[in-house]
Amino acid sequence: GNSVTQMEGPVTLSEEAFLTINCTYTATGYPSLFWYVQYPGEGLQLLLKATKADDKGSNKGFEATYRKETTSFHLEKGSVQVSDSAVYFCALSDQGSQGNLIFGKGTKLSVKP
Amino acid sequence: NAGVTQTPKFQVLKTGQSMTLQCAQDMNHNSMYWYRQDPGMGLRLIYYSASEGTTDKGEVPNGYNVSRLNKREFSLRLESAAPSQTSVYFCASSGMGGRSGNTIYFGEGSWLTVV
């Protein structure tokens, strides 16, 4: 079945460091891919998405490119801020169940000043 | 702009008690979902509703029931709560589901503890 694997956390970085959170997926067909962010005590918010191969999603300085050849959707940001501290979830749309999202386990990011 | 609203935000139950989590969305979305979030497990789908009048089981439906009351509302019921149901519950909705890239919008979560 469809699945998402993302790097285990927690990840601790200093402010202005470069961020990469790896995400790979297994899926049949052509799913859409998403990154969601969860700030402490809050629900999930869409960070960015890509709907087809080679698409690049971007938002708030974060980027991820849909790589079909490597089945990956790695999240990157060139210079993280303390306010980026959160849990990040990679997800794909499960076309077999009305578009339900299959989530990775989440990666907790802590950014120190 | 309320989006997805779920209640209650916090609840403590005794084993065997019942309760209903309420969810409403004001985005005129067709699809609605209930997820649970457990440490180290990510989010797992409990039930979903592709449209008014239909519901389907997700990955972890045991111990839960749902009702799609109308297009706006989708409730989750625990008939006899168990400690294993201690979790954070998220309601979500989507216009056409994620299959076409449409975004799924989440509520703020309901923290449920079963003692």
Side-chain angles (χ1 to χ4, degrees):
Chain A
N2 295 348
S3 65
V4 174
T5 303
Q6 61 182 103
M7 63 186 289
E8 300 277 336
V11 174
T12 302
L13 296 173
S14 297
E15 206 165 22
E16 299 184 1
F18 184 86
L19 169 71
T20 300
I21 300 178
N22 290 336
C23 172
T24 57
Y25 67 91
T26 301
T28 55
Y30 301 93
S32 297
L33 300 173
F34 304 81
W35 277 100
Y36 277 82
V37 58
Q38 184 179 31
Y39 298 102
E42 299 184 9
L44 278 73
Q45 305 172 27
L46 177 70
L47 181 59
L48 53 84
K49 68 180 182 184
T51 59
K52 61 183 186 296
D54 299 325
D55 267 3
K56 177 186 283 187
S58 61
N59 186 26
K60 300 181 180 179
F62 291 89
E63 294 183 340
T65 301
Y66 189 164
R67 301 287 188 199
K68 195 171 189 308
E69 64 275 14
T70 55
T71 61
S72 65
F73 193 55
H74 304 320
L75 182 68
E76 296 182 337
K77 187 175 185 182
S79 177
V80 294
Q81 305 299 313
V82 173
S83 57
D84 294 327
S85 298
V87 181
Y88 293 81
F89 292 92
C90 185
L92 65 80
S93 60
D94 184 353
Q95 298 183 4
S97 59
Q98 296 300 317
N100 166 48
L101 291 176
I102 305 295
F103 285 89
K105 294 184 178 181
T107 302
K108 183 175 181 179
L109 170 66
S110 296
V111 181
K112 307 300 183 185
Chain B
N1 187 9
V4 179
T5 304
Q6 54 181 110
T7 58
K9 193 168 179 71
F10 299 98
Q11 184 73 49
V12 178
L13 286 178
K14 294 182 179 179
T15 298
Q17 285 186 320
S18 63
M19 77 159 296
T20 299
L21 298 174
Q22 306 286 352
C23 176
Q25 51 90 9
D26 62 2
M27 295 174 282
N28 200 35
H29 284 165
N30 290 319
S31 299
M32 296 187 73
Y33 312 82
W34 276 105
Y35 291 86
R36 60 178 288 173
Q37 182 181 27
D38 301 293
M41 299 292 291
L43 278 78
R44 294 179 292 170
L45 183 68
I46 305 171
Y47 271 93
Y48 66 97
S49 170
S51 61
E52 185 178 353
T54 68
T55 61
D56 286 284
K57 294 179 180 179
E59 182 183 355
V60 288
N62 291 345
Y64 304 95
N65 286 301
V66 290
S67 296
R68 184 72 182 268
L69 305 170
N70 47 56
K71 191 171 185 179
R72 289 188 64 247
E73 298 174 289
F74 188 40
S75 63
L76 178 71
R77 183 163 178 83
L78 287 69
E79 292 290 353
S80 179
S84 61
Q85 294 178 304
T86 294
S87 188
V88 184
Y89 291 86
F90 288 98
C91 180
S93 71
S94 174
M96 291 174 59
R99 58 185 169 180
S100 58
N102 283 330
T103 300
I104 293 183
Y105 295 86
F106 287 82
E108 294 187 343
S110 296
W111 274 254
L112 175 64
T113 302
V114 183
V115 298

